[in-house]
Amino acid sequence: MTARLTVVELDEEVPLAASDRASRPRRSLQSAIFSLPITGFLVTGWAHRWITEDGFIYLRIVHQVGAGHGPGFNIGQRVEAYTGTLWVGILALADLLTPIRLEWLAVLLGLGIGAAGVTLAMAGARRLWSPAPDSALFIPFGAVVFVAILPVWVYATSGLETSLAFGWLGLCLWILSGWARTPETRLSTWGAVVLGLGWLIRPELVIFSTAFFALVVVLEPREGARRARLRIACGLLALPVAYQIFRMGYFGSLVPNTAIAKEGSSANWSRGWTYFRDFVDPYWLWVPAVLMLGGGYLPFALASARRTRARWVVGTFLACGVLQATYVVAVGGDYAHARLLLPGYFAICAPVAAIPATRRHLAALLVTPWAFAAVLTLRPDQYTSGNLFAHLIVMPPKQDLGKVTTSDWGWGPGGQYNRWFSGPAYYYQTSSGLRIVRVDIPVANDVHLPIGAFFGIGISAYAAGDQFNILDLEGLADTFTAHLESTPSMSAIPRFPGHEKPLPAPWIAARLTPPGSRPAAVDFPVLGNGLIPATTGVQFQVQVAWARAALKCGGIQRILDAADAPMSPKRFASNLLHSFSNTRTRIPADPETAYRKFCGTDIPPEVQSLLSR
């Protein structure tokens, strides 16, 4: 009996081993095919590595966190000058645990997380096609469509949270593809936590988290559904809700300061359409869009008629990708070419990132000539015309690519752009942005030197160091400027999208100089396309007097205190309570109008004194 059993076992092992040997070449071929878009992402991303101006904003905040000053831009101020909460946390943790220079950490993490997103998207898309035979060969259709275009290479690094969005979306697809395999599969708690992270990566990615929540809750198995749904809801909402309470109490706002400065809830369809066309037209994206529908989405719909969950996962990614792009168009886009549209583009490509190599998908092969053209020749106007600001949308010039550290940019110790600093004083950046000027003026008691009034607060602020205070004249890192009302440009030169609230000179003088002083307009930067007309002499001093008085008005003072007053349990509770009204408050750019809106119709004594001269 023992001998017979031994023979049977040996006989059964033979075909298994033979089958395994036969499948090895196919698995090797599949791995090689899937490695192509991953390698493409890594190679092109590395070739276009850089840190953008806004990327250095993240790095300065990470340094503040590491120094124990909290997640703010200036010491002693609580302003949420970042949009990607989770990206700040990842960079801060990596900076704490590794000896690698922070600029390079941002580049390497962005590249690695983005590549992981492409990998997970292909793995998730392949799993969505289950129960396809294990021997089926898959081609990286949607992955190639995604990796083939220039902006993906540029924003694979850049120091921003863009690649983190790719990584998160790829991980979400992989999680949901496993959940979609059978109608009885339940989503794990950790899976729910991951699906809920959209709000912490970029606020508009809450579109995806909300849709994922609705999807898994509605399609949960009936048995024990109430308890399972409660568990999923708690897992998905735990981190976003916890951070939202922190944001409201610590910063006194419902949304990041950047969202207020850029008026993320306003509508500007015309400018947004220009932003959309600036992305779609140069790369002929309508070609892969049609091919993805005909060669990917439609065949999937026909092949998965009985697999409800899988179809809903694919439909959710497609719908959310379109919805996220629509939101970006609705709010007027951005000043950076394609950047805000890339997460939606990734989401549309992800469900068909890998498709079976069958006759049903023959149309997908037509993407090959487009992919070659995209990689080799298709470029935006900013590249082909030499006008880096075409359509008022910026694309980094070729000579900026490869610049990562402050030294690369000329802002290192002794660098050509870092020679302006000559000790504690007041500095301002000229309207052209090309020079930083020192001016010796009296400053208010609560102003800590050195301080700079800058239009660009990225690399200059990072290179200046944590102890150098910055008054952000565009409002991304200044709560007062962010809450200004935007007005039409004072010149024929329009403002860049997302940078439409340049702080008028009277407000700068009022915030930096002591009461009773008579500052000169020449000492404060002015943009020709500012919010109010520029003034000089006594007229300027009258505006400064109105501004000083307005800064003491209740509604304005409450916004300033939310950021500047010492933190305490009482302050946290007050910020939490007033976060709703703070977020809605907008301050007229004209100082007199602001005073009358928040204080009343009387004339402040300092103004009366000047008017009577």
Side-chain angles (χ1 to χ4, degrees), residues 120-209:
L120 289 165
M122 289 190 293
R126 181 178 181 179
R127 196 154 65 172
L128 282 171
W129 284 93
S130 177
D134 291 338
S135 60
L137 193 67
F138 282 75
I139 57 174
F141 174 43
V144 169
V145 171
F146 175 72
V147 172
I149 60 173
L150 176 65
V152 172
W153 314 342
V154 170
Y155 288 103
T157 57
S158 81
L160 299 170
E161 76 293 329
T162 311
S163 273
L164 181 59
F166 304 156
W168 176 71
L169 287 169
L171 181 57
C172 288
L173 182 66
W174 186 78
I175 290 171
L176 289 172
S177 66
W179 169 80
R181 278 187 151 179
T182 68
E184 295 78 26
T185 303
R186 292 193 183 278
L187 184 70
S188 69
T189 302
W190 283 111
V193 170
V194 171
L195 297 183
L197 293 177
W199 178 250
L200 301 181
I201 296 172
R202 279 196 66 87
E204 66 266 26
L205 295 187
V206 73
I207 294 170
F208 289 91
S209 290

Side-chain angles (χ1 to χ4, degrees), residues 30 408 480 522 574:
Q30 183 68 83
D408 294 338
F480 175 84
V522 70
S574 176

Side-chain angles (χ1 to χ4, degrees), residues 184-274:
E184 295 78 26
T185 303
R186 292 193 183 278
L187 184 70
S188 69
T189 302
W190 283 111
V193 170
V194 171
L195 297 183
L197 293 177
W199 178 250
L200 301 181
I201 296 172
R202 279 196 66 87
E204 66 266 26
L205 295 187
V206 73
I207 294 170
F208 289 91
S209 290
T210 302
F212 296 156
F213 175 66
L215 176 65
V216 296
V217 165
V218 169
L219 295 182
E220 268 296 298
R222 292 183 179 179
E223 184 179 350
R226 181 177 298 178
R227 185 174 180 179
R229 287 168 181 164
L230 179 61
R231 175 181 57 81
I232 291 170
C234 290
L236 194 141
L237 295 175
L239 291 179
V241 170
Y243 183 78
Q244 185 63 19
I245 293 172
F246 168 79
R247 168 185 284 150
M248 294 164 66
Y250 190 77
F251 298 111
S253 177
L254 298 177
V255 295
N257 194 67
T258 53
I260 298 173
K262 297 183 178 185
E263 295 294 355
S265 61
S266 63
N268 193 331
W269 288 91
S270 175
R271 192 179 67 194
W273 182 246
T274 299

